[in-house]
Amino acid sequence: MSLEIDLEAKGRLTEFEAAFQKLHGKAWSAEKGMLAFALGQASATLHLMMPEVFPQKDSWARGRPKLDITPGRLADRIVELMKRRKPGNSLMFVVDEVGQFVARDVQKMLDLQAIVQQLGVKGRGKHWIVVTSQEKLNELVGGLDDKRIELARLMDRFPQELQVHLEPSDISEVTSQRVLRKNAAAEAELGSLFDEHRARLALHSRLTADITLPDLGRQAFVDLYPLLPYQIVLIIDIVSGLRTQGGASKHVGGANRTIIKLAQQLLINPLTKLAEKPTGTLVRLDHVYDLIDGNIASDIRAKIASIPQRVSHPDAQAVAKVVCLLQFVKTVHRTPENIAAALLDKVDGESRLTAVKEALAELEKALMVRLGEGGYRIPTPAEDDWDQTRTGIDLRGADRKRILTEILSGFWTPQPVFSLGDTKQFRAGLMVNGTEAVAGDITFNLQLADDAAEAAKLADEVRRRSQLEQKSVFWVATLDEDIEREAREAYRSSQMIERKSRGAVTANETTLIAEEKVRQKRHQDELRRRLRTACLSGQVFFRGNDRSPEPTVTDVGRAASAVLGQALPTVYDRFQEASAKAPEIRKGLDALLTAANLSGLPPVFAQLNLLRDEKGKPVFRTDFAPLSEIMGQIEAKANYGEQATGKFLEDEFAKAPFGWDLEAVRLFAICLLRAGRVEAVSKGQTIESATTVQAKECFTNNNLFRSANFRPKKGIDFAVLAEAATHFSDTFGNEIRELSASTLAAQLRTEVERHEEPLGRVLGILREARLPGTEMLDNALSQMRAIRKAGDESSISTFLAGHRSIKDAIHRGGELDKVLTEPALRDIERARAALARMPALCGEADLDPMIATRGTDLADLIQRETFFRDLATIDQSAAVIDAEFQRRLGEALDARVGAHLTALEVLHATPGWERLDVAQQEEVSRSLRQGAERAGAPENLAHLRSETEACAGRLSAAISRVHELLEGERLASVSVAPFFAGGIETEEQLDQAIAGLRDAFSRLIGEGKRIIVR
């Protein structure tokens, strides 16, 4: 007491003690500790000794100064007392467990620094402070609010050469000697047990970590049994982690001493009683949890305690306890293998890996653990909210089909191919449940069965279909619950990412989105793996024969290529007629464009059997395949009043049974031109000779060749003129004035010129508005230009070959010219906008099927060449779709605005809001004010709803920010949800939950915190 020091300085302390004894009959040294009485007794004694100074008995008690003990005053007192009582000696203070004293309290660290500094200045090195700690202080810096500068200053007060650090190996030795020491018989028994099961034990207890863990040696096993060597390091790291976690007391015991206490408790505590277990029983990490769970955050304890009521697996709770503890050890991976190793309970025990994986699966399903960076962990309240929202997302039929199709289409990347005749690669197409996913030369029709029974029935059906549809391959794959689960989880991840990405405002939300992307990839990879297995174990049929993959095949694309190689020769049995390498075909094409005669042509003509000898001269075999096939298609089109385009010929002969590529078709077409059997029209010019500049330009340019028209070359006689006159009247509605070639050609040119300009105008409108039907008009205009520019006979021949196309185009142009008004074009744009909104509407669970049907029909109508005939229906469907979208958009916007307005009211009513200045209020409420505004709202349903969902989080963050601005570091938040995570069914469960809450609140109150309840 300060009184004693002052009396001693005046030499009256002995007098005071004698007067106290006389007055009160008790010794001062015995009574001074009871401050409630000692102060009054001391005051009465001073009155007896010095009545002139203390006239009343309570004068000193009432008038004594209340002096604060500062580091400087403490140092002064120490120096003063040492000079007085022990001159020439030094004083040493020993602060045991300084880490426990400092804990995560920055102020305590600064107090210690000030005391050391003042004692050094005023004691001039004569007085010492010695501190001990079970961790290095710099390892707690993360819990000291990153006060690295203050920590460095404190550490500078302790000379580096006097700092001593004991490694965990020393702790292991102390533990083995003080608690786990065995007698000779026990050592021999344990040594034999280790020798017998060494390999098994090493395998089943192995941990993977970022650091090197102690080896499992014979002597270390004997010394530390029932602990394993790595468990010493692990427990030290766990307790160190507990000291810096938010929910634990600031004064959790140091790890090194705790390991000694834990070793004792593991043997004798009623929760473990390992001392009573048979020799060979090992410490499990969940045993450690049971002994130190009081230092774990109460919300996590409550969640783990509720697991038996929510998860049926017998090992689920033990697994969760291990996951919880491993979260405090950043260097050990929280994998199923490590968790299983931490739960090994016997030296000769089997691996727990299978049971651990099953328990983790059930825990993850029940949202009790989640897999993220670093492995499994116990979810935080924010992660609980995220997972609850995620679980509420259901996978509907359309989305299920889309996801499965996307994954299956991935097996076609790269697309399976097979080279036929070493000249052309044929591609395998893919159709999933009747919908084309990938185009190809032979379609693989993949049918998905929901179970084995359906698969067997489906296999019989597709076998019979394969006998009828002989150009396709049929494949049956069976889905199972695992595939359905992975598809559902992948979809949930994609939806959460889509919903939350735009509204992410906090670092926590950004982290959750990043983890969700990792989760999405994991589920997609697993879905891909399982679908691959389902396909490879499925059945494949071609023309009634089983072509299923061999058991050794591991790639779906390779399996498809193998089946493709078996089917191609049968489906494309006429491919050999045009089978030649592309460079050789191009050489032949170039030769025909320049050669004066057919002698000395490249070998490809003989290879494809295109020439025959006619009186000693080579001529083309136009009456035999493959030239006769090309000629037949051109004549068929001409007989119908249309002209065969190069694109038509390419597409027609790419189909089965030909499979001819563009190079071959182009060669055959120029052979017919060179033989005088056909004429070509390109860019409005008639090409009759293969050696002209126009022919070279047409046949060497892919686009020009595809757009060129081909017609049979005929002579003009009276019968042809009569036929042309009839078609002229039918096409233009006028009669021929004179049945002669010149008159007919002149009238043709006049009529073509009359219709060419309006058709061109309509074609321009179609192109500008991106509407279908341009190809038909463009083709007709090309023929019209050819008629207008060519000679009389050529004009008549061109008209005869394409009169039907010209007539149809004139009729179509007239219809379009009437209906394609400005209002109609605006209606079409509105319809396109409505179609763009259909994906969002189709994602609505309560969407009227009629709306979905309207969308499908509208998409079909707007893609038809005859769309103009259904403009009224298009406009009506677009209006219905748009009205439905606007209704839902309005509701979503109202919900967002309403939620944020309500949140603003709650925020404004928060105690302390009025104490913030205007700038602080604007900063805190910014996100809520933005959500309450209607102007500038996006026309996106998912975005608006995600912002509504985010409102509660934004309000919580805003309120926390208010308290943070007002309270600073005193603020602490507690979520009550984890305490009731398992539900309440009995009063006992209610009491447990309330007790957990009380414990959490009491701990924080004891730390001087102000609690916010969430």
Side-chain angles (χ1 to χ4, degrees):
M1 294 179 66
S2 176
L3 174 62
E4 290 179 309
I5 296 173
D6 293 339
L7 288 171
E8 186 179 45
K10 292 184 178 183
R12 304 189 66 178
L13 178 58
T14 303
E15 179 188 353
F16 173 81
E17 290 176 341
F20 189 91
Q21 178 73 34
K22 178 181 178 181
L23 182 62
H24 301 292
K26 299 177 182 178
W28 166 249
S29 59
E31 293 296 310
K32 65 181 180 180
M34 302 176 66
L35 291 180
F37 303 101
L39 293 176
Q41 293 171 335
S43 183
T45 303
L46 290 172
H47 167 68
L48 179 65
M49 290 174 58
M50 295 173 282
E52 68 283 0
V53 178
F54 304 103
Q56 304 295 327
K57 289 185 178 181
D58 61 349
S59 295
W60 178 82
R62 287 188 291 105
R64 71 184 182 89
K66 295 180 173 58
L67 299 176
D68 292 331
I69 301 177
T70 64
R73 179 176 291 275
L74 177 63
D76 289 337
R77 290 294 199 189
I78 290 171
V79 173
E80 177 186 345
L81 289 174
M82 287 302 295
K83 284 182 179 179
R84 187 185 307 157
R85 297 185 179 182
K86 296 289 183 179
N89 291 291
S90 296
L91 179 65
M92 178 180 290
F93 287 95
V94 178
V95 183
D96 191 23
E97 293 290 5
V98 71
Q100 201 172 154
F101 170 74
V102 172
R104 296 185 307 279
D105 195 325
V106 176
Q107 189 57 49
K108 284 190 169 77
M109 184 182 71
L110 297 176
D111 289 344
L112 178 61
Q113 176 188 332
I115 291 171
V116 174
Q117 183 175 350
Q118 288 296 319
L119 199 57
V121 170
K122 299 184 177 181
R124 298 184 179 276
K126 293 182 180 180
H127 310 301
W128 291 51
I129 291 183
V130 177
V131 300
T132 67
S133 177
Q134 295 190 41
E135 283 109 345
K136 297 179 181 178
L137 287 183
N138 55 13
E139 292 178 353
L140 291 174
V141 72
L144 291 170
D145 301 329
D146 293 335
K147 299 293 184 179
R148 292 174 172 81
I149 297 176
E150 289 82 354
L151 177 67
R153 290 173 180 169
L154 173 60
M155 297 302 292
D156 286 344
R157 306 301 173 190
F158 297 90
Q160 183 68 35
E161 61 271 13
L162 296 181
Q163 295 181 20
V164 180
H165 177 60
L166 298 178
E167 297 296 333
S169 57
D170 303 313
I171 306 306
S172 299
E173 182 177 352
V174 173
T175 304
S176 65
Q177 293 299 318
R178 288 181 53 180
V179 182
L180 303 176
R181 188 170 184 175
K182 287 86 178 175
N183 57 32
E187 287 187 353
E189 182 181 1
L190 289 171
S192 299
L193 185 66
F194 179 81
D195 292 338
E196 182 181 355
H197 302 289
R198 178 171 189 163
R200 176 195 297 266
L201 178 62
L203 177 64
H204 294 164
S205 65
R206 182 182 295 119
L207 287 182
T208 59
D210 296 330
I211 60 173
T212 302
L213 297 171
D215 292 332
L216 179 63
R218 187 180 194 275
Q219 191 59 48
F221 171 79
V222 172
D223 289 343
L224 295 172
Y225 176 84
L227 288 163
L228 294 175
Y230 77 82
Q231 290 178 328
I232 300 292
V233 177
L234 199 60
I235 295 174
I236 289 174
D237 289 344
I238 288 170
V239 177
S240 297
L242 279 170
R243 297 184 66 179
T244 58
Q245 62 124 355
S249 168
K250 288 186 177 181
H251 306 294
V252 176
N256 295 346
R257 183 170 296 172
T258 300
I259 190 67
I260 299 173
K261 182 179 178 181
L262 271 175
Q264 294 172 327
Q265 291 298 310
L266 286 167
L267 296 175
I268 63 175
N269 193 286
L271 295 174
T272 54
K273 294 183 179 180
L274 288 179
E276 302 176 8
K277 299 293 176 65
T279 302
T281 303
L282 297 172
V283 171
R284 301 196 320 246
L285 205 56
D286 60 315
H287 293 156
V288 178
Y289 175 94
D290 293 336
L291 297 180
I292 63 172
D293 65 341
N295 295 314
I296 294 171
S298 51
D299 56 339
I300 295 178
R301 293 203 316 271
K303 181 177 292 185
I304 292 177
S306 69
I307 286 176
Q309 288 78 42
R310 302 182 63 184
V311 182
S312 60
H313 197 283
D315 293 326
Q317 190 174 45
V319 168
K321 291 177 180 179
V322 173
V323 170
C324 173
L325 293 188
L326 289 182
Q327 283 183 239
F328 299 107
V329 186
K330 304 305 182 185
T331 56
V332 175
H333 316 133
R334 298 183 299 278
T335 61
E337 291 75 14
N338 280 356
I339 297 170
L343 286 173
L344 184 65
D345 56 355
K346 294 179 182 178
V347 173
D348 59 349
E350 296 294 337
S351 171
R352 304 290 299 278
L353 183 57
T354 301
V356 166
K357 287 183 176 180
E358 293 172 353
L360 285 170
E362 292 194 27
L363 285 168
E364 195 171 9
K365 183 178 180 181
L367 308 182
M368 305 303 286
V369 302
R370 77 188 326 254
L371 182 59
E373 185 179 0
Y376 289 94
R377 66 171 180 266
I378 306 297
T380 64
E383 291 169 343
D384 282 333
D385 294 341
W386 180 281
D387 287 338
Q388 289 291 347
T389 302
R390 186 180 183 277
T391 305
I393 299 173
D394 194 20
L395 178 62
R396 293 189 301 274
D399 294 314
R400 172 181 177 272
K401 181 177 180 180
R402 175 180 55 79
I403 289 176
L404 293 177
T405 300
E406 287 176 357
I407 298 296
L408 292 168
S409 298
F411 297 151
W412 255 244
T413 304
Q415 192 168 0
V417 296
F418 190 87
S419 182
L420 196 59
D422 293 328
T423 57
K424 178 183 177 181
Q425 282 192 334
F426 286 81
R427 301 168 300 133
L430 176 65
M431 182 177 288
V432 181
N433 282 353
T435 301
E436 185 179 66
V438 181
D441 299 301
I442 290 184
T443 299
F444 280 65
N445 195 325
L446 179 59
Q447 299 288 323
L448 302 176
D450 291 332
D451 52 47
E454 183 182 351
K457 180 180 178 182
L458 198 56
D460 290 337
E461 292 179 2
V462 300
R463 183 193 291 272
R464 290 192 294 271
R465 279 186 63 187
S466 70
Q467 294 173 330
L468 299 175
E469 301 175 32
Q470 297 191 352
K471 297 178 182 179
S472 298
V473 176
F474 289 84
W475 198 323
V476 178
T478 307
L479 306 181
D480 56 24
E481 292 182 0
D482 293 329
I483 291 175
E484 298 290 354
R485 182 188 67 249
E486 296 300 331
R488 182 170 58 253
E489 294 301 322
Y491 175 72
R492 286 173 172 172
S493 292
S494 67
Q495 289 298 297
M496 288 298 291
I497 293 169
E498 180 181 346
R499 294 182 185 182
K500 301 293 187 179
S501 291
R502 296 179 181 176
V505 294
T506 66
N508 192 33
E509 289 174 333
T510 303
T511 300
L512 285 170
I513 291 170
E515 289 191 351
E516 195 63 50
K517 290 179 179 179
V518 174
R519 183 192 289 189
Q520 179 188 33
K521 184 178 184 304
R522 185 173 72 249
H523 287 302
Q524 287 176 338
D525 289 345
E526 182 63 14
L527 176 60
R528 187 176 294 107
R529 185 187 70 82
R530 292 185 177 277
L531 278 176
R532 181 185 299 111
T533 301
C535 289
L536 294 176
S537 60
Q539 292 180 279
V540 181
F541 300 100
F542 175 66
R543 296 193 175 184
N545 297 314
D546 194 325
R547 295 288 186 265
S548 301
E550 295 293 333
T552 56
V553 178
T554 59
D555 184 79
V556 176
R558 291 182 180 177
S561 295
V563 178
L564 185 64
Q566 298 172 356
L568 278 173
T570 307
V571 175
Y572 290 91
D573 56 341
R574 297 193 61 179
F575 174 72
Q576 292 300 326
E577 297 175 11
S579 179
K581 294 182 178 180
E584 299 299 323
I585 293 178
R586 282 194 287 272
K587 287 181 182 179
L589 179 66
D590 292 340
L592 288 184
L593 289 171
T594 58
N597 55 62
L598 302 184
S599 299
L601 292 177
V604 68
F605 291 92
Q607 179 184 342
L608 299 180
N609 201 21
L610 298 178
L611 297 171
R612 64 181 176 85
D613 184 76
E614 182 73 27
K615 298 180 180 180
K617 293 184 180 181
V619 295
F620 287 108
R621 301 175 73 247
T622 56
D623 295 333
F624 298 91
L627 298 182
S628 62
E629 293 290 344
I630 302 290
M631 191 67 207
Q633 289 293 338
I634 295 173
E635 288 177 337
K637 276 284 188 178
N639 291 337
Y640 192 65
E642 298 179 353
Q643 295 192 27
T645 64
K647 181 69 168 60
F648 166 77
L649 295 175
E650 178 189 12
D651 293 342
E652 196 67 21
F653 288 98
K655 302 174 184 176
F658 304 103
W660 301 345
D661 58 19
L662 176 62
E663 298 290 348
V665 172
R666 179 159 42 196
L667 177 64
F668 299 155
I670 199 170
C671 286
L672 292 172
L673 180 65
R674 186 72 185 250
R677 296 293 305 276
V678 300
E679 293 175 332
V681 177
S682 176
K683 297 169 63 174
Q685 294 182 324
T686 301
I687 302 172
E688 298 181 0
S689 172
T691 57
T692 61
V693 173
Q694 292 81 1
K696 183 176 182 180
E697 184 181 7
C698 174
F699 282 90
T700 56
N701 183 293
N702 289 346
N703 291 331
L704 289 178
F705 174 78
R706 290 187 175 107
S707 62
N709 295 303
F710 295 89
R711 62 172 184 260
K713 189 173 184 179
K714 296 182 179 180
I716 303 298
D717 54 18
F718 184 80
V720 171
L721 287 174
E723 181 185 358
T726 301
H727 293 317
F728 178 90
S729 176
D730 183 54
T731 301
F732 301 111
N734 297 324
E735 297 295 331
I736 293 296
R737 293 189 297 271
E738 180 183 344
L739 200 58
S740 66
S742 58
T743 303
L744 179 55
Q747 284 191 260
L748 274 175
R749 294 187 187 97
T750 300
E751 291 295 332
V752 162
E753 288 177 359
R754 183 167 65 88
H755 290 285
E756 194 172 352
E757 190 276 331
L759 273 183
R761 183 178 64 254
V762 171
L763 178 61
I765 293 173
L766 290 180
R767 283 176 171 163
E768 184 178 356
R770 298 172 288 116
L771 291 169
T774 58
E775 185 177 350
M776 173 188 182
L777 299 185
D778 196 24
N779 184 44
L781 282 169
S782 177
Q783 295 180 57
M784 288 180 173
R785 286 191 291 270
I787 292 171
R788 180 166 48 82
K789 295 178 181 179
D792 292 349
E793 290 190 1
S794 184
S795 294
I796 295 171
S797 297
T798 301
F799 175 71
L800 279 173
H803 65 87
R804 184 177 293 274
S805 298
I806 294 172
K807 175 184 177 182
D808 292 343
I810 292 172
H811 180 69
R812 175 70 56 81
E815 290 181 302
L816 289 169
D817 193 45
K818 292 178 182 178
V819 300
L820 288 185
T821 60
E822 286 298 326
L825 292 173
R826 286 195 295 270
D827 290 344
I828 290 171
E829 285 304 311
R830 282 197 296 271
R832 286 201 177 102
L835 281 177
R837 290 166 174 162
M838 280 306 300
L841 285 176
C842 289
E844 300 288 290
D846 59 342
L847 182 67
D848 188 340
M850 181 270 292
I851 301 293
T853 303
R854 286 263 193 176
T856 303
D857 293 345
L858 178 59
D860 177 65
L861 288 174
I862 210 169
Q863 291 173 4
R864 295 180 185 177
E865 288 191 2
T866 56
F867 69 92
F868 56 90
R869 297 173 184 169
D870 299 291
L871 286 177
T873 304
I874 289 173
D875 187 47
Q876 291 171 3
S877 296
V880 171
I881 293 170
D882 188 61
E884 178 66 15
F885 181 82
Q886 293 300 331
R887 181 183 70 81
R888 292 176 181 270
L889 189 71
E891 291 175 353
L893 181 57
D894 290 343
R896 189 196 76 170
V897 171
H900 283 78
L901 287 174
T902 302
L904 282 170
E905 293 176 1
V906 174
L907 179 63
H908 294 162
T910 300
W913 170 259
E914 69 284 352
R915 291 162 53 193
L916 301 180
D917 58 39
V918 175
Q920 289 174 326
Q921 289 179 346
E922 289 183 354
E923 175 215 334
V924 171
S925 64
R926 182 176 294 113
S927 62
L928 294 177
R929 288 186 288 105
Q930 289 173 346
E933 294 177 357
R934 291 183 175 273
E939 292 195 355
N940 187 303
L941 291 174
H943 189 184
L944 289 175
R945 287 171 180 159
S946 67
E947 289 194 328
T948 304
E949 293 174 0
C951 180
R954 291 172 178 173
L955 174 60
S956 177
I959 293 175
S960 297
R961 180 59 178 158
V962 170
H963 293 298
E964 183 181 336
L965 290 171
L966 296 174
E967 304 292 341
E969 294 183 356
R970 288 189 62 237
L971 186 67
S973 64
V974 175
S975 173
V976 299
F979 294 92
F980 301 92
I984 301 296
E985 296 180 352
T986 65
E987 291 187 6
E988 181 181 357
Q989 292 175 339
L990 178 61
D991 292 340
Q992 290 176 350
I994 294 175
L997 273 173
R998 180 182 295 277
D999 180 46
F1001 288 172
S1002 298
R1003 181 178 300 162
L1004 292 171
I1005 291 171
E1007 296 171 7
K1009 298 291 188 181
R1010 179 178 181 183
I1011 302 170
I1012 300 298
V1013 179
R1014 293 187 288 107

